[in-house]
Amino acid sequence: MSYALIVTPTKLIIKPERRFTWEQWQAGRAERRRLGNLVAPKNIRRKKSEGDEYLRETYGGERGPKFNKPFDASADEV
Amino acid sequence: MTTAEITSALAVIRQETDLNAKSLLLAALVSELFRERGFEPVVVGGSAIEFYTDGAYMSGDTDICWTGWPQPDEDQRDEIMRQIPGIKSHGGTKSWGVDELWIDLLGEIDYRADKDFVVLETQIGEVTLIPVEDALVGRVYAARRYCSGYDEKDDDCAKKLMAAVLSGHLPIDWKEARRVAACSKYNCVAEFDAVRREVEAELAKPGK
């Protein structure tokens, strides 16, 4: 993946170990999700929250679209 | 970014069907547009935790706050966001809809960790996330100390984030995290330590 479009990097000081490329982030997602599923349910999206009317209007009564995680379809099991 | 670059970025976002990746790319586009005008956007809330954990927690919106000075006023927010073709607003200049996703532009970030933000790089630009320490302590507080008492969803969220950091998949400064937990805003060191113990015990069970 090209990063040619990055024209304005943050001016904040970021420690090297706290900076992740897209590839590094993608590579760790499935394992972080697997670990989380060991200690909590697979889908923990709230059923409601304050001021979520515009979300429900957008998503047919839900608060968000399907997760569509490519490595774990169980994220969309309710 | 030029209009052509914004349109190209939108094309990348529209092709993505994975909510977490799609939201991250949209946050990158919005962050880039604000950073090139001198602002420092930071993603907070449930979407930040989703980027950290893939815990299936986030809804359809991503919350963005600001750190440092200047911070965008309403006119600047409106002008910057309307560079995105096809964008719609809801509730003034707070909520913005792009390609079936929402971005909420909030106020100054309220955090206690010592500026250890995390940056995720995408092909569209960088996304700055609230420090892991603040995200984690904030969820523990919301789950176990907030006025309404126990909140199961926040507790699940805190546990998933705790599992990710305990396993070394996310960077954390434990001393700093406990300092944040001890601050007057949260005052939840006992609860923080309890969540850590519970998750450590769960992860240590045979077969896990």
Side-chain angles (χ1 to χ4, degrees):
Chain A
M1 183 174 281
S2 165
Y3 296 105
L5 280 178
I6 292 182
V7 292
T8 319
T10 179
K11 293 176 181 172
L12 301 170
I13 298 171
I14 307 296
K15 293 178 179 174
E17 66 270 24
R18 295 199 177 214
R19 177 175 283 277
F20 297 87
T21 65
W22 176 263
E23 289 79 7
Q24 288 170 329
W25 177 69
Q26 287 281 19
R29 292 178 63 194
E31 180 61 6
R32 289 192 294 271
R33 174 157 179 76
R34 186 190 73 81
L35 289 160
N37 287 349
L38 297 176
V39 299
K42 293 177 177 178
N43 184 322
I44 57 173
R45 178 183 279 167
R46 287 185 187 284
K47 299 298 181 191
K48 60 179 180 180
S49 70
E50 288 184 19
D52 62 4
E53 295 86 0
Y54 68 100
L55 293 177
R56 295 185 185 283
E57 287 173 12
T58 305
Y59 306 116
E62 300 295 323
R63 295 186 57 252
K66 287 189 173 182
F67 289 102
N68 281 334
K69 295 186 187 295
F71 45 84
D72 186 0
S74 74
D76 287 303
E77 294 173 3
V78 179
Chain B
M1 295 175 83
T2 65
T3 301
E5 288 173 332
I6 295 172
T7 301
S8 295
L10 272 181
V12 172
I13 294 166
R14 289 195 170 113
Q15 285 176 357
E16 183 59 68
T17 58
D18 169 356
L19 172 61
N20 203 9
K22 188 181 186 82
S23 300
L24 181 58
L25 291 169
L26 178 58
L29 171 60
V30 173
S31 295
E32 178 64 27
L33 290 174
F34 277 92
R35 259 198 315 273
E36 70 181 5
R37 293 284 298 272
F39 305 109
E40 283 290 352
V42 179
V43 174
V44 302
S47 50
I49 292 179
E50 190 76 25
F51 297 153
Y52 278 139
T53 65
D54 263 281
Y57 177 71
M58 75 179 297
S59 55
D61 59 351
T62 295
D63 294 335
I64 292 181
C65 288
W66 319 97
T67 185
W69 195 259
Q71 293 182 24
D73 61 27
E74 295 225 343
D75 289 342
Q76 290 168 320
R77 294 177 191 210
D78 191 74
E79 179 194 342
I80 291 169
M81 291 301 282
R82 290 196 187 283
Q83 294 177 90
I84 302 174
I87 197 163
K88 58 185 178 182
S89 65
H90 175 91
T93 59
K94 181 190 175 196
S95 300
W96 298 87
V98 187
D99 193 34
E100 299 294 299
L101 290 179
W102 289 89
I103 294 279
D104 280 353
L105 302 179
L106 307 177
E108 183 174 8
I109 185 172
D110 182 13
Y111 68 104
R112 295 294 182 275
D114 193 19
K115 298 180 181 177
D116 271 345
F117 294 102
V118 166
V119 165
L120 304 181
E121 299 172 355
T122 80
Q123 63 177 307
I124 294 172
E126 297 178 347
V127 177
T128 305
L129 303 184
I130 186 173
V132 175
E133 292 83 357
D134 260 279
L136 181 55
V137 172
R139 288 297 150 172
V140 170
Y141 171 80
R144 302 192 179 192
R145 283 284 288 183
Y146 193 56
C147 56
S148 56
Y150 177 72
D151 185 294
E152 184 179 20
K153 294 295 185 185
D154 279 323
D155 210 51
D156 290 338
C157 198
K159 286 177 177 174
K160 286 193 171 188
L161 189 51
M162 184 67 85
V165 296
L166 280 171
S167 59
H169 285 79
L170 291 173
I172 191 166
D173 179 336
W174 288 108
K175 184 178 176 184
E176 177 68 358
R178 291 190 91 246
R179 187 190 68 76
V180 173
C183 78
S184 59
K185 177 184 177 184
Y186 295 123
N187 189 24
C188 65
V189 172
E191 289 82 2
F192 179 82
D193 288 344
V195 171
R196 180 174 177 174
R197 283 195 304 273
E198 290 166 26
V199 172
E200 283 175 333
E202 198 65 34
L203 293 176
K205 287 182 178 176
K208 289 193 173 179

